[in-house]
Amino acid sequence: MSLGQDGPATRTRMPEGHGGGSGRRQAQPRRALFTVVGIVVLLVAAIAFANRGDGSGSSGSGGTRTGGSSGGKGSTSSSATAPTGERPVSGRSGGIPAGFARTEQGAQSAAANYAVALGGVDMFNADRRHAIVSAVYGPNAGAVQGSLDRAYSGNALKALGLRDDGTAPAGLTFVSRTVPVGTKVTASGTDAATVEVWCTDLVGLAGQGSTNPVSSAWFTVTEKLVWAAGDWKLQSSSQKDGPAPVNGDTRAATADEIAGAVQQYGGFTYAR
């Protein structure tokens, strides 16, 4: 199993998403954990994780979009993704896509892939979590790692129905998968960028007898990135709820169908 994914990876190029509708839903414990990578909100996130159902999310910080690396202010805008023929990344680090271009598009690709890695089941395994944090964070990786180790333990795991080591009980499949829908740069420069990643996710225990069935949610992750060691690296990450579309009329899958789908359908490498 590759880091940050529930199955084999598949490469794709994601187009820009456009929001539809709004609404609030039950808070997801794993999403609250993801928020703690912004060190200043660790305590709030841990409480939200342990108390599922409070309907809250931490606010991501945004900014004014600047044109390229010039630093001049302009209006926030979005643009469709056009194939360029260029490889989105040149390699991997700790199982995570790496080697992003030092451009706005490169920063967006990094942000989307890092959101996937930080939202996957591997974050619940100590060794794999350490590898992910080392791969996606910059000079502050050590401080982030210690904070996450404290957050991914005890009552936080019990709230999801997991064992103390982060694994699912016998006969159940733990699902935690983040899917980016679109990205937007809100600030950029030669050595730093702020990117918002609009996401949906799946979280829960699949299988007969599960008391925490797999459900979905919509949220926006704000990632502040810095250029370090020849690549875009995370400096901080926070999130807020929505924008969420109106729920459709699709029949909810059975526990066995969800468990089977997670095993059979792999994740993606995202390119902007």
Side-chain angles (χ1 to χ4, degrees):
M1 178 183 292
S2 64
L3 292 179
Q5 298 191 26
D6 303 299
T10 306
R11 184 185 178 282
T12 189
R13 177 175 289 276
M14 288 293 294
E16 179 75 14
H18 297 280
S22 61
R24 296 184 62 81
R25 54 164 288 114
Q26 184 172 337
Q28 292 286 351
R30 198 274 306 150
R31 292 198 293 115
L33 263 185
F34 179 28
T35 305
V36 305
V37 295
I39 298 299
V40 297
V41 295
L42 173 62
L43 181 59
V44 175
I47 294 173
F49 185 99
N51 295 280
R52 180 176 179 135
D54 64 359
S56 64
S58 66
S59 296
S61 58
T64 302
R65 180 179 175 121
T66 62
S69 58
S70 64
K73 293 184 178 180
S75 61
T76 300
S77 62
S78 62
S79 59
T81 300
T84 64
E86 298 178 0
R87 291 177 59 85
V89 294
S90 58
R92 285 181 174 268
S93 174
I96 309 299
F100 298 96
R102 196 173 186 175
T103 61
E104 282 194 4
Q105 287 194 0
Q108 291 178 79
S109 291
N113 283 283
Y114 294 166
V116 171
L118 292 170
V121 294
D122 287 328
M123 287 294 290
F124 292 83
N125 175 280
D127 290 338
R128 294 199 290 269
R129 179 171 63 251
H130 292 171
I132 292 172
V133 172
S134 295
V136 306
Y137 270 87
N140 61 334
V144 172
Q145 192 141 263
S147 297
L148 287 175
D149 283 344
R150 291 189 293 273
Y152 281 82
S153 62
N155 291 334
L157 298 178
K158 291 180 181 178
L160 280 170
L162 301 176
R163 299 189 180 105
D164 289 341
D165 62 357
T167 59
L172 298 177
T173 300
F174 177 53
V175 180
S176 180
R177 187 181 296 196
T178 293
V179 182
V181 177
T183 58
K184 178 179 68 175
V185 173
T186 58
S188 68
T190 303
D191 300 315
T194 300
V195 181
E196 293 184 359
V197 187
W198 183 30
C199 305
T200 185
D201 73 356
L202 300 173
V203 181
L205 288 171
Q208 295 298 327
S210 171
T211 58
N212 186 18
V214 178
S215 60
S216 62
W218 291 82
F219 55 97
T220 300
V221 178
T222 298
E223 297 182 353
K224 292 187 176 181
L225 303 114
V226 294
W227 186 259
D231 207 352
W232 289 111
K233 297 292 183 180
L234 279 175
Q235 182 179 49
S236 66
S237 179
S238 59
Q239 73 179 52
K240 60 184 179 183
D241 290 343
V246 175
N247 290 331
D249 296 326
T250 305
R251 176 188 64 85
T254 66
D256 289 341
E257 287 173 333
I258 286 291
V262 169
Q263 298 296 330
Q264 297 165 17
Y265 295 92
F268 295 97
T269 296
Y270 291 85
R272 181 70 175 89

